[in-house]
Amino acid sequence: MATASDTDLRVFIDRQYALLDAERDAEIERTSLLISNCSQKLLEQKGLALGGLGVASVAVGLGGKSLIELERPAAYHTTPIFPPHTLRTGDLARIDEHASGVTKKSKVTKDTSAKSVIEGVVYKVSNTRIVLAVDPPSSSNEDLDIPDRCCLIKLANTVTHERMHKAITSLESMFLPSANTRSRPPNTLHRTLLGLSSLSALPQNTSSTPSKFFDPSLNPSQITAVRFAVNSPEVACIHGPPGTGKTRVLVEVIRQLAYRTWMEGLEKDKQEQANVNVNVSNEAEKKMRILVCGASNLAVDNLLERLSVPAPAPAPIPLSSSTAETDTGAEAEATTTTTKDTESKKAAPSLPQPPPIALTRLGHPARIMSSLYSRTLDFQTTTSDEASLAKDVKSELEDLLAALSGSGSGGNKKGASSSKADSAKGGKAGGSAGRGGGVKKGVRLRGEARRAAWANVRELRKEYRKREEGVVRSVLSKAQVVLSTCHGAGSRQIQNIDFDVVIIDEATQAMEAVCWIPILKAKKLILAGDPMQLGPTIISEGNKRHEKSKVGAKEGAKISAPKPKSAPSPPKPSTDIPNPSTADSDVDSDSDASSSGYSTDPDIQDEGDSELPKVSESTSKSTAKPTRSLLRPPKSLNTTLFDRLETMYGRKVKRMLDVQYRMNTKIASFPSKTLYHSRLKSFPANAGHVLADLPSVLSATEDQEESDEDADADALGPGSEVIFFDTAGAEFWERSEGDGSELNAKGKGDNVDGGSLANENEAEVVRVWVGKLIQAGLKPSQISIITPYQAQAQLLRSLLTQTQSEADLTELEIGTADGMQGRENEAVIISLVRSNPDGEVGFLKEKRRLNVAMTRAKRHLCVVGDSSTIRRGGGKYLKKWMDWLENEADLRFAGDLV
Ligand SMILES: Nc1ncnc2c1ncn2[C@@H]1O[C@H](COP(=O)(O)OP(=O)(O)OP(=O)(O)O)[C@@H](O)[C@H]1O
């Protein structure tokens, strides 16, 4: 395959712009339509707003942000407790003046330039208080003028879109600079990711390094993946099917990189018989800086939680676990443990426990697990030695803001701090009128005094920001590992910081553009994910027509006339390009598995259709032999960077983890065979685990045996790991529900009318089966119910919580597949819902969604569905699943149960 040309790059970049614009527009349209068409009263009823609020206090947070605390004043409400609402920490929200009339509509536009607009992030929520963190005004004329009686409205979040757009613009100016753009030159990583340079070979002699591991129980495929990630010169992808320990591998990779100089120091010292500590501190300067990102805050927090546990002393790995790795990227078979290995382990010299890694988590504290607060930049800046420099200014600012909001203490508490801040400002913004001095509690400043006070606030804010920036710089300079979401890596605090390595977890759930935000800061990239599980959440995908028309229109303008800066390169038609990963695949085409391990996004396989941007006339008519370009424009935002790299570089760029620790072998066998080339093995200790082994089930069974009760115990032992309640012929028809406002996480309702779907009879089967499992000794918290449809999830929630009064079912987990990715439970029940005479199966066809649903169970999987509808409407994959369930599962007729 040929390296990419400027024309390829232009098409790729323009395609990214077009798709991102369509996505942003869809998001704004969805939220704005709802908000602008509804009165505040209706928004309150829908839980999208809280009305009749007053300001309880104003404080100062990181970055000089105003923390506006809102409450329900007794003057307007009989109770201070908020009605039900959907405002959560981390949401974007706006303060509007409270509209007393029922009909007044909210004015929600993209234009946020109006003076009175106060927008921010929800920082804290309790039953009676909600805190909004608002950025300091950018213009000096703005007054944070909060209405006496206000309404807080939830908004669409466009910050991520803006950052993604900016990342693509940076790429454009890096690779296709115009006369007016200036940017730093691209590095080898950036060139490799865009197919402008080929992937470098692995260095020689790295097949057995590192040789000491912090996690002693890594399996051979995990060790191979760690070595591959650590030694790859530019980019490495780790493919982790469900339950294979991706996060565990990433933790080891981060430790290997972070402690590299420490370990090298120890080795050197050992040779020189010198003092370890002296050399280690000498090496500190050369420490590798790592940026760890995730597609979601949860993914980042998961990694941070595990990294926060002190690393044990690294130990040599058993010889058996080492795998031969060649520079062509082929993986050699790992052998089983031998006595020789045990001996080698025993003989290994012991190493000390490493010092803690300096970790700093970026991001809004409102969006970070509270148990990890001490790792946040927010906490570290306020508790660092340098923090006192900014504290004085902060308290003065807070007093002043309190005075401005009418909640001033009435006394001048500033004393020494005031004079320090004054001197810092050169006395410019002095004057008691604006400081809150003498302002009585509850009395709001007006007129000239208010203007003067705001001028003072602006000066103090500037000073505070300057001092705080110094503190932030100092904290970050000490952080060896910085953690944030991908889009969080675009924050101001690290805009001038580069990293040796960027690691992205859940990379298959992130759009490519968002990954570029951290990648632009890196020399090397490590991605982890599973392309066979759900991809990024795309709103514009919910309405294909919407997306196509928008993308088409934009591309029409941008792509039909690409303006390459250099001469057009040889023709590289974007049609008729076989997917390299399927071309040599020996796997059933329906399996979506590529030769490189497997999955390829159907979007990639479909590339070459008429939707792709066309190359220019002159290039397509050339007689030169067509060559395939490494760089392919994505068909949709569903094509992730992970997918694209897999298509570009095949097995050379990735390693797959092949031992899963979650599922019983029976449960794992269908996904392994159809989506992972039968390479997914079960960890021996878990391969045969069944519900009957659980202590609570064992003791319940003993009790029942004593009392001679029939508890359907046979349903829980070997042979019943997978049960299929087939509703075919029972006429358990689905029904549509809702008005189209019930959308799943991808913004899809999957119903002809735009609503969601439910199936009462199926829900009844689920209810009865849950009852049997509980009777057999399972705790409700050990059971999860997954259904593709929101309406069915809702129905199940009300059915199960109302009728199963003998057990507390609040801990039963009920959700859609989209919400269950990353979760697991002992028993999982899937309700497929679709049952109709026309064989309509909707998005059950999406195998990645189905894969997530069927791989959450550890010991027991129960499927309830209509095999006849699914066979008729489903593609090859669904038909195969039905065949497999009929042949391999404990097949039962649903009609017998209810
Ligand atoms: N080498 C190992 N030895 C023992 N247990 C392991 C090993 N690797 C992973 N596990 C266990 O397997 C489970 C899954 O691991 P982890 O959460 O790291 O996987 P994951 O790939 O991120 O999962 P998923 O993406 O499916 O949510 C965890 O309980 C983990 O402790």
Side-chain angles (χ1 to χ4, degrees), residues 172-439:
E172 187 179 10
S173 51
M174 207 181 242
F175 287 101
L176 303 168
S178 68
N180 313 327
T181 54
R182 216 156 35 103
S183 115
R184 57 159 123 179
N187 62 24
T188 316
L189 167 67
H190 304 144
R191 296 183 61 79
T192 309
L193 296 181
L194 292 171
L196 294 156
S197 305
S198 319
L199 196 66
S200 306
L202 279 173
Q204 295 289 321
N205 307 322
T206 52
S207 58
S208 54
T209 52
S211 60
K212 297 184 183 72
F213 287 77
F214 297 91
D215 186 340
S217 60
L218 293 178
N219 67 50
S221 72
Q222 290 174 326
I223 289 168
T224 302
V226 170
R227 285 180 173 153
F228 179 64
V230 167
N231 296 316
S232 290
E234 302 103 7
V235 55
C237 297
I238 299 172
H239 179 183
T244 50
K246 279 186 298 296
T247 319
R248 205 160 168 150
V249 167
L250 286 186
V251 168
E252 181 67 32
V253 169
I254 295 165
R255 287 183 171 150
Q256 288 292 343
L257 296 171
Y259 289 125
R260 181 180 273 182
T261 48
W262 176 80
M263 289 206 270
E264 283 168 2
L266 287 176
E267 298 294 345
K268 216 161 97 192
D269 284 350
K270 248 191 282 154
Q271 285 163 12
E272 294 170 6
Q273 298 291 300
N275 182 327
V276 168
N277 290 329
V278 171
N279 278 326
V280 170
S281 60
N282 287 345
E283 295 287 340
E285 303 272 287
K286 290 187 252 155
K287 271 184 191 170
M288 207 176 260
R289 297 206 78 190
I290 306 159
L291 176 60
V292 177
C293 296
S296 63
N297 275 298
L298 194 62
V300 182
D301 286 351
N302 268 339
L303 275 164
L304 177 56
E305 212 168 18
R306 298 194 201 192
L307 284 170
S308 298
V309 177
I317 55 149
L319 285 178
S320 63
S321 296
S322 39
T323 53
E325 180 104 51
T326 69
D327 58 4
T328 59
E331 286 162 71
E333 286 297 306
T335 54
T336 49
T337 309
T338 61
T339 325
K340 202 171 136 206
D341 302 330
T342 322
E343 278 163 11
S344 79
K345 209 175 178 182
K346 268 189 216 155
S350 61
L351 289 173
Q353 194 178 358
I357 304 175
L359 304 162
T360 298
R361 168 74 156 99
L362 298 185
H364 208 292
R367 295 181 173 127
I368 298 168
M369 272 183 207
S370 53
S371 57
L372 299 171
Y373 185 59
S374 66
R375 304 286 182 186
T376 60
L377 180 64
D378 197 75
F379 177 85
Q380 290 173 353
T381 44
T382 44
T383 54
S384 75
D385 294 343
E386 299 93 336
S388 59
L389 288 174
K391 255 184 201 149
D392 293 342
V393 190
K394 182 180 171 180
S395 65
E396 189 169 354
L397 237 179
E398 273 176 352
D399 280 356
L400 205 45
L401 285 168
L404 277 160
S405 72
S407 56
S409 63
N412 188 346
K413 304 183 296 180
K414 280 166 286 301
S417 70
S418 157
S419 54
K420 265 194 207 169
D422 279 348
S423 63
K425 297 179 308 225
K428 260 199 289 176
S432 62
R435 298 261 193 84
V439 178

Side-chain angles (χ1 to χ4, degrees), residues 553-690:
K554 282 167 206 260
E555 282 176 355
K558 281 184 155 182
I559 297 173
S560 60
K563 296 186 200 82
K565 295 286 156 206
S566 56
S569 54
K572 293 170 181 64
S574 54
T575 54
D576 196 27
I577 300 176
N579 185 331
S581 31
T582 47
D584 55 352
S585 171
D586 58 355
V587 176
D588 183 326
S589 62
D590 194 46
S591 72
D592 260 9
S594 77
S595 64
S596 55
Y598 318 90
S599 70
T600 45
D601 188 313
D603 287 330
I604 297 178
Q605 293 189 347
D606 289 343
E607 280 177 11
D609 72 12
S610 56
E611 267 198 84
L612 288 174
K614 303 284 183 290
V615 291
S616 67
E617 280 274 290
S618 59
T619 51
S620 62
K621 279 184 185 159
S622 165
T623 50
K625 195 173 171 228
T627 37
R628 285 190 242 153
S629 166
L630 278 172
L631 183 63
R632 307 286 316 280
K635 182 182 172 190
S636 81
L637 292 175
N638 258 319
T639 303
T640 63
L641 176 61
F642 194 113
D643 294 326
R644 211 167 55 67
L645 288 172
E646 199 181 354
T647 304
M648 282 205 307
Y649 296 120
R651 68 172 61 203
K652 276 195 292 182
V653 80
K654 83 168 188 181
R655 293 296 176 269
M656 188 178 112
L657 309 178
D658 62 12
V659 179
Q660 64 83 18
Y661 293 79
R662 176 179 299 153
M663 295 165 271
N664 175 295
T665 307
K666 175 71 117 206
I667 299 171
S669 65
F670 181 77
S672 173
K673 186 164 168 235
T674 52
L675 300 180
Y676 304 105
H677 270 225
S678 296
R679 272 188 62 191
L680 201 52
K681 294 171 271 188
S682 302
F683 183 60
N686 301 344
H689 62 190
V690 289

